[in-house]
Amino acid sequence: MTLLSALPAPEAYRLTGTGKWRSAFAVTDLANASVAAVGLELSRLIEALNLASQAPEVTVNQRLASLWFSYSFRPEGWELPSLWDSIAGVYQTADGWIRLHTNLPHHRRAALKVLGCAGGREAVAAAVKHWQADSLEGEIVSAGGVAAAMRSRSEWLAHPQGRAAAAEPLIHWAAPRAIRLRERPEATAARPLAGLRVLDLTRVLAGPVSTRTLAGFGAGVLRIDPPGWDEPGVITDISLGKRMAALDLTKGEDRLVFETLLAQADVLVHGYRPGALDGLGYGRETRGLIAPNAVEVTLDAYGWTGPWAARRGFDSLVQMSAGIADAGRIWSETDSPHPLPVQALDHATGYLMAAAVLSALAAAARGETVPAAHLSLARTAELLAGMQRLADGPEIRKPADSDYAPGTENSAWGPGRRLAAALHLDTSPLHWNLPANRCNSAPACWR
């Protein structure tokens, strides 16, 4: 099998543009390579499907790839809501630092219940100071919340979960099976994923980046959220090109709809932790019976082995756990945690997930057996920690007007501008057929 297993070498693609993120880590190099991985795997798929006489060449614009690691949409005449809850962020403990992630209401309630304080930032800061960082992290996680104490790189690599994540492959391919691709007569070299049905069961941020990328080459992406779900401040960025629906998988009628969608899907992308889908009655064996010909790619936060494999997590928390925020603190000569300038673990993992989908589809087109792909933010953190900073150019601070594509995108919230595409294939321009849409704005059906 010739499945994606590592970042591509710089000589495998053409690099244009200048500029880099200022960081202790090779953030811009990671952006270049992870975006290039999508292009190279798509090029191989085009060749495997005989959509072009030869595999198209791949070009990545370094400045734009870096900017897409931040926020791709700029509203015009209106403002985006805040990305963060009022008490989310970093706090000093009795012995170090901890980050609380409270964007979701039940995570906020869990943190405040453990701290036993009111919901103001000053009250939280005062309460946190009485705790040891590890103890508070453990109590909040046990209460159903999410938090991460700041660890050094050496502490993380000695931690059971740090050792487990480091030992995992970047992309863990498991349970290979024969997959018969559905005919897609609408697929062309210009829109190689046209007609591809992608069932998206992901939330902020890596998974949605992967499916947004697939939509940019013509895939029909249907995202399913729980009723009432929203991601204020983020959804305008990552719902681009998708149809957004809602189902309650605890209700029989919605389960029947979901099973019909899954049976008709070509690709399943999900961000459920190990065992979570099993709890809903959709374990690997059941998914295989319902959708025997669907490519599957999934991710979690802390890795697929080790004591934290089932722990909830987000990019900002993994940066704290894995020693990235502490290494940034030392590099920046500050006393407090210094995270990456962008949520690079999320974005890089998202692009690698999209590349894994394309790699699996190409393998199926060649008649090879196709395993499911597993990725994690923690393993991407190890990848980043081991990369050299080679990117050059001036420091990137924010997008310029010239970084945006021409024309207006009429999102569901209002007009705005979208960054120009960072990835270019000779045959296949990256563009989206649908603007960003609200959660639960479309029916749960394939077009």
Side-chain angles (χ1 to χ4, degrees), residues 34-35 38 42 64-74 191 193 198-223 231 233-244 267 269 343-344 346-355 357-358 409 417-423 429-437:
S34 58
V35 170
V38 175
L42 183 62
L64 290 171
S66 299
L67 289 171
W68 275 89
F69 263 43
S70 183
Y71 206 84
S72 68
F73 184 78
R74 184 181 71 183
R191 294 302 268 171
L193 302 186
V198 178
L199 191 59
D200 180 356
L201 306 181
T202 66
R203 313 284 179 264
V204 283
L205 188 57
V209 166
S210 73
T211 52
R212 179 185 69 187
T213 305
L214 298 174
F217 289 106
V221 177
L222 178 62
R223 173 166 146 166
E231 297 167 12
V234 174
I235 202 70
T236 46
D237 194 46
I238 50 80
S239 66
L240 175 64
K242 307 177 188 180
R243 296 174 61 245
M244 309 287 287
V267 177
V269 181
Q343 291 187 297
D346 264 330
H347 287 272
T349 306
Y351 287 116
L352 287 171
M353 291 173 68
V357 168
L358 300 171
E409 179 183 323
R417 298 281 301 281
R418 185 73 61 172
L419 286 173
L423 176 62
L430 179 61
H431 66 91
W432 289 266
N433 296 333
L434 297 172
N437 284 295

Side-chain angles (χ1 to χ4, degrees), residues 28-244:
T28 290
D29 300 275
L30 180 63
N32 290 340
S34 58
V35 170
V38 175
L40 291 165
E41 294 304 321
L42 183 62
S43 179
R44 294 184 182 107
L45 176 60
I46 289 171
E47 186 177 37
L49 294 174
N50 296 313
L51 297 179
S53 58
Q54 60 183 17
E57 293 186 359
V58 175
T59 301
V60 174
N61 182 296
Q62 176 171 301
R63 176 178 173 84
L64 290 171
S66 299
L67 289 171
W68 275 89
F69 263 43
S70 183
Y71 206 84
S72 68
F73 184 78
R74 184 181 71 183
E76 294 187 333
W78 56 284
E79 293 185 3
L80 292 166
S82 173
L83 291 173
W84 299 102
D85 175 69
S86 60
I87 63 169
V90 171
Y91 295 87
Q92 193 164 14
T93 64
D95 64 339
W97 296 87
I98 193 168
R99 177 177 282 276
L100 307 182
H101 199 292
T102 55
N103 283 3
L104 298 179
H106 60 288
H107 291 164
R108 178 187 172 98
R109 288 193 297 270
L112 293 176
K113 180 179 179 181
V114 170
L115 291 169
C117 67
R121 195 167 186 87
E122 290 184 3
V124 170
V128 168
K129 283 186 178 180
H130 297 290
W131 285 82
Q132 303 288 313
D134 276 356
S135 297
L136 181 55
E137 174 191 84
E139 289 296 323
I140 290 176
V141 169
S142 295
V146 283
M150 185 175 77
R151 293 172 173 81
S152 68
R153 281 290 297 155
S154 58
E155 288 171 337
W156 177 243
L157 292 174
H159 189 280
Q161 192 57 40
R163 293 198 303 271
E168 293 180 5
L170 179 63
I171 302 173
H172 180 205
W173 296 96
R177 57 197 173 102
I179 286 179
R180 179 174 52 82
L181 296 183
R182 187 171 54 85
E183 292 291 329
R184 293 187 291 113
E186 57 269 72
T188 64
R191 294 302 268 171
L193 302 186
L196 191 76
R197 295 172 183 159
V198 178
L199 191 59
D200 180 356
L201 306 181
T202 66
R203 313 284 179 264
V204 283
L205 188 57
V209 166
S210 73
T211 52
R212 179 185 69 187
T213 305
L214 298 174
F217 289 106
V221 177
L222 178 62
R223 173 166 146 166
I224 304 296
D225 292 315
W229 181 267
D230 197 8
E231 297 167 12
V234 174
I235 202 70
T236 46
D237 194 46
I238 50 80
S239 66
L240 175 64
K242 307 177 188 180
R243 296 174 61 245
M244 309 287 287

Side-chain angles (χ1 to χ4, degrees), residues 379-394:
R379 183 58 183 84
T380 302
E382 294 308 307
L383 171 70
L384 176 60
M387 292 181 67
Q388 286 185 289
R389 287 183 292 167
L390 301 175
D392 57 9

Side-chain angles (χ1 to χ4, degrees), residues 302-327:
Y302 282 103
W304 294 88
T305 58
W308 289 7
R311 177 174 287 203
R312 296 174 179 86
F314 298 92
D315 182 308
S316 57
L317 300 182
V318 175
Q319 288 190 45
M320 290 286 282
S321 300
I324 289 176
D326 184 61

